[in-house]
Each structure stands twice: as structure tokens, then as C-alpha cells.
């Protein structure tokens, strides 16, 4: 078994895996709480913090990728924390050691007293055959690279619309158990707004394909607001919005597979169906 790479300085050793919203927030709190009273090391690949919510703009070409990230190393240097551009490959809790692969390929074995594991969600494209930009034929906005790919595919379809063709855009989630419907919803509203701005909306069909039991569920059992003393449900608002924007919802749909010819999905009480598409952005 590999021994820790660095000697113990005596101060508590706090290791943070991941520098997304969770890991970076933990680091910022620690800078306030323990700054010089602990050795803090943050490990995350690619030396960048990504502001995920803005990827919905990158995916339509309305925002450049440069605007949604910043380099982490200077921030941690300022805080007096160590930053390692690399990935945790395994955690050995009994020995309190994390095995790391640095960006240059070298290995490191880091001992810790406290570990914050904030490596984020796993994007399970393999859960649905044919899903995703790498092995499949659908787009995603779950990383900068994915959003840039979605942008290119989207703009190709925009070019076809400009030539007078009709196009079907299917946006939603790509697995019966997928979550993060909110991001897909924001993206379809963006696509709708962008196509209207370009004067192309009348030739585009927009389909919302989601496993939510009702519109506006967003994977959190919906939301409610009190407006003028009355309770208004998210489903009422989103149903109306879809009608107003001419977005066709297909709800309670579990996507089972994607091919070049169509997206296969099941709905309770209905026969399995396949939906043809020109552009699909489905969150895993
Ligand atoms: C397009 C889009 C829009 C969204 N909009 C919203 C919104 O408006 N509001 C909202 O609340 N949420 C939104 N979300 C969801 C939100 O982005 C996530 O919930 C959030 O990013 C999760 O934070 P996290 O820190 O747990 O994971 P992440 O942000 O994914 O961060 C994980 C970190 O771990 C690193 N990492 C991964 N593997 C390793 C490893 N092996 N070793 C070390 N580091 C590793 C990653 O590089 C990253 O730094 C959106 C998501 C998307 C995709």
C-alpha cells in the first residue's frame, strides 16, 4: 500500500475533493474559520470553477464559454491553501489517505484528518443506450464542453431553419430516473426565446420530454406560490406557459433509448413510443 507523500506538519489536515459549488463553498468557509490553524488542500481537475447555471446560455451561443468559469489556483493561493490540479482515484478511510492522479499523470497519496468529498453528480449517460454527446446522438449542457457541442448542433439547426426547413427540437431528460429537470426547462425556454428573436420560431417544433408526473414538478414535487392571497401551483403556471409558447409537453415519459431515428420512451398506460428529432438535448 502506498504511504502518504508528504510529512505531517502537526496542523490538522483538511482535504477537499472537488471545487464545484459544494467544494468551493467549503473552502471559502474554511478560509474564514480555520485559515492559519489548518493545512487545507483542494483537489479538482482542470483548474477551473464552472458556473453551471449559465451553461444554458452557452448552449444556444448567447454567452461565450469564457464567461462561465474562472481559474481556481490564484484564489486558493490567495487563501493560503494548497491546490492540486488532479483527480482523487480512491479514498482509504481506514488509513485516512486519498490516492490522487495529478494532471501531469503523476500519483500522490495525501493523508488527511478531515475529508470533504464534494466531487458532484455522476453523469450517467450509459444508463440510456444512445444518450449523450460522446457515445450517443443527443446533446447535453452539463459541462462547458457539452454546452459548446450543444451550441454547435443547435446553430446547425438554426442554419437549416434559415433555409426554410422545419426542425423539431426535443429537450428534457433522458432517463426515467433523471433529475435536474430545471436546467433542461431553462434551456428549452432559452431556445424558444432565441428562435423568436431570430424570427424562426414558426418553423420550429419544440417538445418538452420529461419524466416529471406533471409540468412544473422539476423533480422536487413542484412548487407553490401565494399570489393575491391564492395558492398558485407551478404546474398551472408551466402548463399555461407551454401553451402560450407553443411548447408540446410529453410528461411522465421514461426515455429507454436513443437512436438516429428517434427517442424511444415509455409512459404508464400507453404503448411504447418513438419520437423523431432533429436536435435533442436530454439531461442524463
Ligand atoms: C445547465 C445547468 C444549470 C443549472 N442551474 C442551476 C440553478 O439555476 N440553480 C441550482 O441550484 N442548481 C443548478 N444546477 C445544478 C447545480 O449546478 C449542481 O447542483 C451543482 O453544480 C452541484 O454542485 P457540486 O459541488 O455538488 O458538484 P459540481 O458542481 O459538479 O462540482 C464537482 C467538483 O468535483 C470535481 N471532481 C469530479 N470528480 C473528481 C475527482 N475524482 N477528484 C476530485 N475532484 C473531482 C469537479 O471537477 C468539480 O470541481 C444546474 C446544473 C446545470 C447542468
Amino acid at each position: 500500500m502506498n504511504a502518504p507523500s508528504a510529512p505531517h506538519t502537526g496542523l490538522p489536515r483538511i482535504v477537499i475533493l472537488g471545487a464545484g459549488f459544494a467544494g468551493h463553498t467549503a473552502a471559502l468557509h474554511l478560509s474564514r474559520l480555520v485559515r492559519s490553524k489548518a493545512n487545507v488542500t483542494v483537489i479538482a481537475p482542470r483548474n477551473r470553477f464552472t458556473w453551471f447555471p449559465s451553461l444554458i446560455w452557452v448552449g444556444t451561443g448567447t454567452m461565450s464559454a469564457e464567461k462561465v468559469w474562472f481559474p481556481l489556483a490564484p484564489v486558493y493561493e490567495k487563501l493560503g491553501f494548497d491546490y492540486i490540479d488532479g483527480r482523487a482515484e480512491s479514498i482509504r478511510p481506514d488509513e485516512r489517505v486519498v490516492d490522487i492522479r495529478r494532471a501531469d499523470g503523476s500519483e500522490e497519496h495525501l493523508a488527511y484528518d478531515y475529508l470533504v468529498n464534494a466531487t458532484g453528480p455522476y453523469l450517467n449517460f450509459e444508463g440510456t443506450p444512445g444518450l449523450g454527446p460522446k457515445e450517443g446522438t443527443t446533446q447535453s449542457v452539463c459541462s462547458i464542453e457539452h454546452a459548446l457541442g450543444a451550441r454547435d448542433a443547435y446553430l446547425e439547426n438554426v442554419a437549416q431553419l434559415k433555409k426554410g426547413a422545419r426542425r423539431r427540437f426535443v429537450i428534457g431528460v433522458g432517463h426515467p430516473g433523471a433529475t435536474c429537470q430545471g436546467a433542461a426547462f431553462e434551456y428549452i425556454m432559452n431556445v424558444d426565446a432565441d428562435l423568436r428573436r431570430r424570427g424562426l420560431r414558426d418553423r420550429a417544433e419544440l417538445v418538452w420530454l420529461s419524466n416529471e408526473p406533471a409540468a412544473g414538478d422539476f423533480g422536487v414535487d413542484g412548487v407553490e406560490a401565494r399570489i393575491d392571497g391564492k395558492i398558485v401551483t407551478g404546474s398551472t403556471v408551466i402548463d399555461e406557459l407551454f401553451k402560450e409558447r407553443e411548447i408540446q409537453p410529453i410528461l411522465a415519459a421514461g426515455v429507454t433509448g436513443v437512436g438516429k431515428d428517434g427517442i424511444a420512451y415509455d409512459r404508464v398506460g400507453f404503448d411504447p413510443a418513438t419520437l423523431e428529432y432533429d436536435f435533442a438535448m436530454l439531461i442524463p
Side-chain angles (χ1 to χ4, degrees):
M1 199 53 77
N2 292 303
S5 317
H8 195 346
T9 61
L11 290 173
R13 297 157 301 185
I14 304 173
V15 172
I16 302 174
L17 305 180
F21 285 103
H24 191 60
T25 303
L28 294 179
H29 277 296
L30 285 169
S31 77
R32 201 169 34 83
L33 296 169
V34 299
R35 204 159 197 168
S36 54
K37 296 183 221 133
N39 278 334
V40 179
T41 305
V42 182
I43 298 147
R46 298 182 148 192
N47 186 21
R48 73 183 184 196
F49 177 91
T50 304
W51 183 261
F52 284 93
S54 291
L55 292 176
I56 56 160
W57 306 106
V58 176
T60 51
T62 22
M63 187 180 278
S64 73
E66 288 68 41
K67 288 210 166 148
V68 301
W69 71 276
F70 61 81
L72 291 163
V75 179
Y76 294 133
E77 192 184 344
K78 203 168 161 191
L79 298 178
F81 292 173
D82 292 326
Y83 167 67
I84 295 177
D85 181 351
R87 284 183 171 276
E89 292 196 321
S90 52
I91 299 169
R92 291 184 262 147
D94 291 342
E95 297 149 78
R96 297 192 176 212
V97 170
V98 188
D99 301 309
I100 296 154
R101 177 82 51 194
R102 282 183 177 262
D104 63 9
S106 63
E107 277 183 14
E108 189 152 343
H109 311 284
L110 212 62
Y112 62 84
D113 297 301
Y114 301 95
L115 183 72
V116 178
N117 188 358
T119 51
Y122 178 68
L123 301 176
N124 186 21
F125 290 108
E126 309 91 79
T128 307
L131 190 74
K134 200 168 166 211
E135 307 289 339
T137 50
T138 62
Q139 305 300 324
S140 151
V141 288
C142 294
S143 72
I144 291 178
E145 290 70 25
H146 290 176
L148 288 172
R151 176 201 65 186
D152 293 347
Y154 170 71
L155 292 178
E156 276 170 30
N157 282 281
V158 165
Q160 291 303 317
L161 288 169
K162 280 184 184 160
K163 287 182 190 162
R166 300 190 71 81
R167 280 289 180 263
R168 180 184 282 163
F169 298 77
V170 180
I171 295 169
V173 295
H175 188 274
T179 57
C180 211
Q181 294 90 344
F185 172 75
E186 289 172 345
Y187 186 66
I188 199 170
M189 297 314 290
N190 251 358
V191 166
D192 173 70
D194 187 61
L195 292 175
R196 284 175 196 278
R197 210 167 25 237
R198 293 172 185 271
L200 298 169
R201 183 62 177 87
D202 56 335
R203 288 199 287 280
E205 188 187 346
L206 261 62
V207 180
W208 173 247
L209 181 64
S210 175
N211 57 1
E212 298 159 287
D217 178 274
F218 296 138
V220 293
D221 283 339
V223 288
E224 290 179 349
R226 189 178 287 277
I227 301 174
D228 295 333
K230 286 188 188 152
I231 300 280
V232 179
T233 64
S235 69
T236 309
V237 175
I238 304 300
D239 271 338
E240 283 180 15
L241 193 63
F242 281 163
K243 279 193 192 108
E244 184 192 304
R245 300 294 184 96
E246 296 180 50
I247 294 171
Q248 185 204 335
I250 301 177
L251 293 159
V255 172
T256 53
V258 185
K260 283 209 171 87
D261 301 332
I263 302 164
Y265 63 90
D266 283 342
R267 290 174 83 197
V268 175
F270 293 87
D271 287 336
T274 301
L275 183 66
E276 289 181 9
Y277 65 97
D278 298 297
F279 171 94
M281 196 299 288
L282 299 174
I283 295 211

